[in-house]
Amino acid sequence: MAYQPSAVRIPLCHPSLLVHLRPEGTIYRQGDAANGWYEVRRGVVRACRYFASGDRHLTTFFYAGDVFGIEREVREETMEAVTAVELVRRDHADIDKGSPNGNLEAVLRTMRGYVHLLGHRTAEQRVAAFLLTLSLRLGTSTGVPVPMSRTDIADHLRLTMHTVSRTISLLCSRKLIAMSGPQTFSVLDLKALRRAAGQEHPWDEPFQNEHH
Amino acid sequence: MAYQPSAVRIPLCHPSLLVHLRPEGTIYRQGDAANGWYEVRRGVVRACRYFASGDRHLTTFFYAGDVFGIEREVREETMEAVTAVELVRRDHADIDKGSPNGNLEAVLRTMRGYVHLLGHRTAEQRVAAFLLTLSLRLGTSTGVPVPMSRTDIADHLRLTMHTVSRTISLLCSRKLIAMSGPQTFSVLDLKALRRAAGQEHPWDEPFQNEHH
DNA sequence: CGAACAATTGAATCCTTTCAAAGGGAGTGG
DNA sequence: CCACTCCCTTTGAAAGGATTCAATTGTTCG
């Protein structure tokens, strides 16, 4: 399985509470008591962890259809709106009669892919994988929006904004992608982009050993 | 919360099946169907992920008292004995009447610390944190055994064995630790070692924002 | 005692970061 | 409507940290 932001999807039931936020708005903060979970209706949300050392880590980006905040006790991450956002908030009770435990396992699986990205991938592979994911999530390869800033991307991929910018320029010069302004791009050569992301073979990721 | 290998502990109940392995023995492989969970009685176990690209990632080391293999469907990791190992295997049914979901959340929390280690820490900080953890797990600061090879450590901390070796030498030359052979060490300056690991302040890790 | 393997150490290389500065839009005020 | 400012992005050049390549030292086990 390739790297992909946590794509936990839960079928809708009766909307509980609609929440609207403007860009940079805060949904909740790390340390808060958990009081429900959220589903993204419109816009992009980022999961942040702030450290006393001053640095920031963006664990995940959530897009329309994604669900976050299923933890019960204390919020481990701060959730912030990247764009204008519309959310639905629901009670924790609702989740139980949906998927009892499977969500956490899905999150775990996603996180394993992320660990692999951080541990085994170069800057180029990370950026390529990120753009690829954006494109796949949106279902288009042309005019794909990049709603988050270079700094946001960098804090997610654990690079500097400079390296992100440089790498995007590199991918452009190689004709794998084309930018239309800093916030929109198109995939020119999907195969090559996959290759650049280190995902050319579907079985490249968790290697299945033969039984014995 | 500092970096620490997954320390999920579950109170013992009636032992089901005792398993003995010699060093380098395999408990199960990634891709296998899950058929129960394990508790370490003696020795050290490593959780491995093998990739088609050829590289290996050691997700976690498990020590006496630790539990692993709680996933239900398919094994995501290969489990191998680092030392001679004694395990107890139990059915999945047993875990349900213990902690329904809390284990996965604990694993998740541990993994977040690990992501931080990979993303935000230098080689020195990683090695220092690793040795610190070994010492804490054993409860001693002198004659702490390092059962795994430098390569194992490297594949866990995402460094090369060379860097691991160099860094250990560095910590020795600075009198933070002292090695008695390659597989045993003592902590000489705990405070400095903590500082080197980037854990001098307990609140250095997940920063708690003030509520509002 | 020698073979085989693990660990250590040195030197050069490479990739990312850091430091520094220029380019480019969006919004404001003259 | 244009000039100016601010901020984000891009790009250049130098520095740094870990890897790679290469070789030595050390340890274990026949």
Side-chain angles (χ1 to χ4, degrees):
Chain A
M1 165 185 322
Y3 157 72
Q4 228 183 354
S6 182
V8 180
R9 286 160 186 278
I10 290 180
L12 316 191
C13 24
H14 46 320
S16 292
L17 183 66
L18 249 75
V19 184
H20 289 264
L21 291 106
R22 35 184 85 261
E24 303 300 309
T26 302
I27 300 152
Y28 56 73
R29 295 165 194 267
Q30 57 194 124
D32 286 356
N35 61 347
W37 53 278
Y38 297 82
E39 185 199 324
V40 181
R41 276 286 170 77
R42 266 187 13 235
V44 179
V45 171
R46 63 178 178 234
C48 318
R49 301 190 76 204
Y50 291 99
F51 297 94
S53 47
D55 46 28
R56 183 183 75 146
H57 185 196
L58 303 193
T59 305
T60 327
F61 290 105
F62 294 104
Y63 307 90
D66 289 344
V67 160
F68 63 84
I70 51 180
E71 69 265 31
R72 284 147 183 298
E73 310 279 313
V74 173
R75 299 302 189 190
E76 299 266 357
E77 301 163 316
T78 296
M79 289 293 173
E80 298 169 350
V82 173
T83 63
V85 160
E86 186 183 319
L87 306 169
V88 183
R89 196 185 84 69
R90 293 213 181 74
D91 269 353
H92 273 314
D94 286 7
I95 210 173
D96 294 323
K97 49 185 179 187
S99 28
N101 196 313
N103 297 301
L104 277 174
E105 288 198 16
V107 170
L108 207 60
R109 208 169 309 119
T110 299
M111 202 176 264
R112 286 210 184 91
Y114 186 59
V115 165
H116 184 244
L117 185 91
L118 293 184
H120 298 250
R121 301 304 214 200
T122 65
E124 188 185 335
Q125 292 176 316
R126 297 183 202 191
V127 172
F130 181 75
L131 295 178
L132 212 45
T133 298
L134 276 180
S135 163
L136 289 175
R137 293 293 309 240
L138 264 289
T140 48
S141 56
T142 60
V144 183
V146 185
M148 62 291 287
S149 70
R150 295 291 183 270
T151 304
D152 279 355
I153 298 172
D155 284 350
H156 177 56
L157 301 179
R158 291 281 78 210
L159 299 167
T160 60
M161 105 181 83
H162 306 108
T163 302
V164 171
S165 182
R166 261 184 254 282
T167 306
I168 289 177
S169 301
L170 184 76
L171 295 175
C172 283
S173 71
R174 289 202 199 144
K175 308 288 187 200
L176 304 198
I177 61 168
M179 301 298 298
S180 333
Q183 315 291 357
T184 316
F185 76 100
S186 298
V187 180
L188 298 185
D189 187 341
L190 180 61
K191 215 169 169 185
L193 190 59
R194 280 228 187 82
R195 201 160 39 235
Q199 305 177 186
E200 66 276 41
H201 306 122
W203 58 85
D204 182 45
E205 292 310 317
F207 181 69
Q208 300 298 337
N209 253 315
E210 70 288 354
H211 293 213
H212 59 161
Chain B
M1 168 185 321
Y3 155 73
Q4 229 182 351
S6 181
V8 179
R9 287 158 185 280
I10 291 179
L12 317 190
C13 26
H14 46 321
S16 292
L17 184 64
L18 247 76
V19 184
H20 289 264
L21 292 106
R22 35 185 84 263
E24 303 301 309
T26 303
I27 300 152
Y28 56 73
R29 295 165 194 268
Q30 57 193 122
D32 286 356
N35 61 348
W37 53 278
Y38 296 83
E39 184 198 323
V40 181
R41 275 287 169 79
R42 264 186 15 234
V44 179
V45 171
R46 62 177 179 234
C48 318
R49 302 190 77 201
Y50 292 98
F51 297 93
S53 47
D55 45 29
R56 185 183 73 147
H57 184 196
L58 303 194
T59 306
T60 327
F61 290 105
F62 295 103
Y63 307 91
D66 289 345
V67 161
F68 64 83
I70 51 179
E71 68 266 30
R72 282 145 186 296
E73 311 279 314
V74 173
R75 299 304 190 188
E76 299 265 358
E77 301 163 316
T78 296
M79 289 294 172
E80 298 168 350
V82 173
T83 63
V85 160
E86 186 182 319
L87 305 169
V88 182
R89 194 185 86 67
R90 292 212 181 74
D91 269 353
H92 272 129
D94 286 9
I95 210 174
D96 294 324
K97 50 185 179 186
S99 25
N101 196 311
N103 297 303
L104 277 174
E105 288 199 16
V107 170
L108 208 61
R109 207 170 309 121
T110 299
M111 201 175 266
R112 286 210 185 91
Y114 185 57
V115 166
H116 184 244
L117 184 92
L118 292 184
H120 299 250
R121 301 304 216 200
T122 64
E124 187 183 335
Q125 292 176 314
R126 297 182 202 192
V127 172
F130 181 75
L131 295 178
L132 212 45
T133 298
L134 276 181
S135 162
L136 290 175
R137 294 291 310 238
L138 264 291
T140 49
S141 55
T142 60
V144 182
V146 185
M148 61 290 288
S149 70
R150 295 290 184 271
T151 303
D152 279 356
I153 299 174
D155 283 350
H156 177 56
L157 301 180
R158 289 285 76 210
L159 299 167
T160 60
M161 98 176 96
H162 309 280
T163 303
V164 171
S165 183
R166 262 185 253 282
T167 306
I168 289 177
S169 300
L170 185 76
L171 295 175
C172 283
S173 71
R174 288 201 199 145
K175 308 290 186 197
L176 305 198
I177 62 170
M179 301 299 296
S180 335
Q183 315 290 357
T184 317
F185 76 99
S186 298
V187 179
L188 298 184
D189 187 341
L190 180 60
K191 213 169 168 182
L193 191 59
R194 280 228 187 81
R195 199 160 39 235
Q199 307 177 185
E200 65 278 66
H201 307 123
W203 60 84
D204 182 44
E205 293 312 316
F207 182 68
Q208 301 297 338
N209 254 315
E210 69 288 353
H211 294 214
H212 58 158

